[in-house]
Amino acid sequence: MSPSFVNAAYYPCWRIYRDLPPSSLQLDFISHVLYAFVLINTDGTLRFLDEHADCTIAADGEQGCLSAVSKLKAHRPWLKTLVSMGGGTGSAEFPAMAADPAARETFARSCREFVDRWGFDGVDIDWECPETPQDGANYMALLHALRRALPRPRYLLTTALPVGEYCLRHLDLPTAGHLLDYLNLMAYDFVGPWTDVCGHQGQLLPPPGKLEHTHPNLRNSCHGAVEYILSRGFPATKLILGIPVYARSFEGTHGVGQPFTKAEEMDYNEMPREWIHQASIDQSAGAASFVDRSPGGKGFVSFDVPETVQRKAEYVKWMGLGGLFYWTGVGDIKGPESLVWAGYQALHSNSQSS
């Protein structure tokens, strides 16, 4: 594993119930594993999301997925492991906790104790997300407390943030760039049940002449979000571009910009293989899709394929970014259809193009 680029993967503990333990990750192509999720209390203490999955279920010959992730490092000295705090449904306590100086210190100390107990290398903060100026200030105070408790070079400190200006505009990005090792940019979910029309959920570029997006203050492409963050002083080499290892489908639609009757989500490895093999590549957007016209079909389906991941990896090199990450690593397919492998190969090839 070359240290020059990050190729990170999130491991969601609940996937153990689908017989996908941490060892099912494509570890030969992964530099960092981020364990999702551990939850927080408003007083700064921690709690398990699923104590059975985390600590007791049989996983890779260990008791619990936390021990199984720690075990991964035994034969892979290059591998870094982080525990991700919060998540999309686990962020409600962040605003109150981060607003309380005593709770912030408790949280930072609890994170250090957790990392040391389980043999991890650091912490990933997945607060989704600071939406007010006060939340933004408290987020920065939280990062300061965490960095004091998790000093370099022994510990890593990262965060996952969305592409929306509704969040990013409240953050002191230059200071965040100093405190963080990486910012994991969730460069996906540009469309979904919350939007009026369907489209590409993780397009690299906004296609010219097409309906872009109806959500206010949301960058509608990977490039738009990257430009915004870099223009505000965040270092490019610490910015990691996210890859969705899942599809979004929009029933009742056959193309970008159409209103839909139902929106659903499925992991990449749950998709019919013909969708991947027969995907249409929008070269102007750097996005892939398939239209399921079968009776009761899913309609327009947006997802990444190896070709679009390769292009995103080339974009990372062209822009001088730090690498890629995948939500989730266990949603991938092994072999030539693998997104993790495609990203790794492209990041470590000699060519560079936009």
Side-chain angles (χ1 to χ4, degrees):
M1 172 65 64
S2 168
S4 57
F5 286 104
V6 168
N7 206 45
Y10 279 84
Y11 176 78
C13 66
W14 55 92
R15 285 298 187 258
I16 189 66
Y17 299 118
R18 294 188 186 179
D19 295 323
L20 292 170
S23 63
S24 64
L25 293 165
Q26 299 202 65
L27 295 164
D28 289 340
F29 313 118
I30 290 172
S31 60
H32 298 65
V33 174
L34 299 104
Y35 187 92
F37 291 105
V38 168
L39 303 182
I40 69 169
N41 299 309
T42 54
D43 64 357
T45 57
L46 307 180
R47 69 184 192 274
F48 294 113
L49 171 66
D50 182 339
E51 190 167 2
H52 179 59
D54 291 332
C55 300
T56 61
I57 197 170
D60 296 332
E62 300 292 324
Q63 282 191 306
C65 293
L66 283 166
S67 292
V69 168
S70 297
K71 182 182 179 180
L72 297 178
K73 297 167 65 73
H75 302 294
R76 298 170 180 84
W78 67 83
L79 188 67
K80 299 297 183 182
T81 56
L82 297 92
V83 57
S84 189
M85 302 289 181
T89 60
S91 291
E93 292 77 13
F94 267 112
M97 182 274 288
D100 182 344
R104 289 197 301 263
E105 294 301 325
T106 297
F107 177 66
R109 184 170 60 253
S110 299
C111 286
R112 169 70 175 266
E113 292 170 354
F114 190 97
V115 166
D116 289 345
R117 175 186 175 187
W118 295 101
F120 280 52
D121 295 293
V123 171
D124 176 59
I125 301 301
D126 195 350
W127 174 357
E128 299 185 20
C129 56
E131 294 189 24
T132 68
Q134 190 58 56
D135 279 349
N138 293 337
Y139 169 91
M140 298 307 304
L142 185 64
L143 291 187
H144 278 286
L146 285 163
R147 190 79 274 181
R148 288 192 297 270
L150 300 164
R152 294 184 177 102
R154 164 62 181 90
Y155 298 98
L156 296 174
L157 178 60
T158 70
T159 194
L161 287 171
V163 297
E165 290 180 39
Y166 64 89
C167 168
L168 297 173
R169 68 187 178 192
H170 300 305
L171 304 179
D172 180 351
L173 289 172
T175 300
H178 173 71
L179 296 170
L180 293 167
D181 292 288
Y182 299 111
L183 189 164
N184 299 325
L185 182 63
M186 297 184 286
Y188 38 76
D189 291 346
F190 299 130
V191 289
W194 54 87
T195 57
D196 297 329
V197 297
C198 72
H200 297 299
Q201 69 147 338
Q203 58 192 8
L204 179 60
L205 303 168
K210 292 184 179 180
L211 183 64
E212 293 186 351
H213 203 280
T214 58
H215 192 289
N217 296 320
L218 182 65
R219 293 283 161 167
N220 73 320
S221 69
C222 300
H223 179 60
V226 168
E227 277 197 320
Y228 181 87
I229 292 171
L230 298 187
S231 71
R232 278 147 183 82
F234 192 86
T237 56
K238 292 187 175 184
L239 187 57
I240 312 300
L241 191 67
I243 303 289
V245 192
Y246 59 92
R248 289 200 177 276
S249 63
F250 301 89
E251 194 171 315
T253 62
H254 299 93
V256 171
Q258 298 178 5
F260 51 87
T261 57
K262 184 180 181 181
E264 295 181 312
E265 179 183 327
M266 71 183 76
D267 281 354
Y268 183 69
N269 58 16
E270 296 174 337
M271 294 165 44
R273 294 297 192 271
E274 58 265 27
W275 291 9
I276 300 171
H277 301 153
Q278 299 173 22
S280 174
I281 308 297
D282 185 333
Q283 298 294 343
S284 64
S289 61
F290 180 85
V291 179
D292 179 12
R293 302 177 185 271
S294 63
K298 300 292 186 180
F300 182 84
V301 189
S302 171
F303 51 92
D304 269 282
V305 295
E307 181 179 336
T308 59
V309 172
Q310 289 165 6
R311 185 168 175 189
K312 289 179 179 179
E314 293 297 333
Y315 171 85
V316 163
K317 294 194 290 185
W318 179 61
M319 292 290 290
L321 307 185
L324 299 171
F325 79 86
Y326 306 83
W327 177 268
T328 69
V330 292
D332 197 21
I333 300 170
K334 293 183 179 179
E337 297 149 331
S338 169
L339 303 184
V340 172
W341 181 84
Y344 174 83
Q345 289 291 107
L347 286 174
H348 296 88
S349 70
N350 293 325
S351 62
Q352 291 191 19
S353 67
S354 60

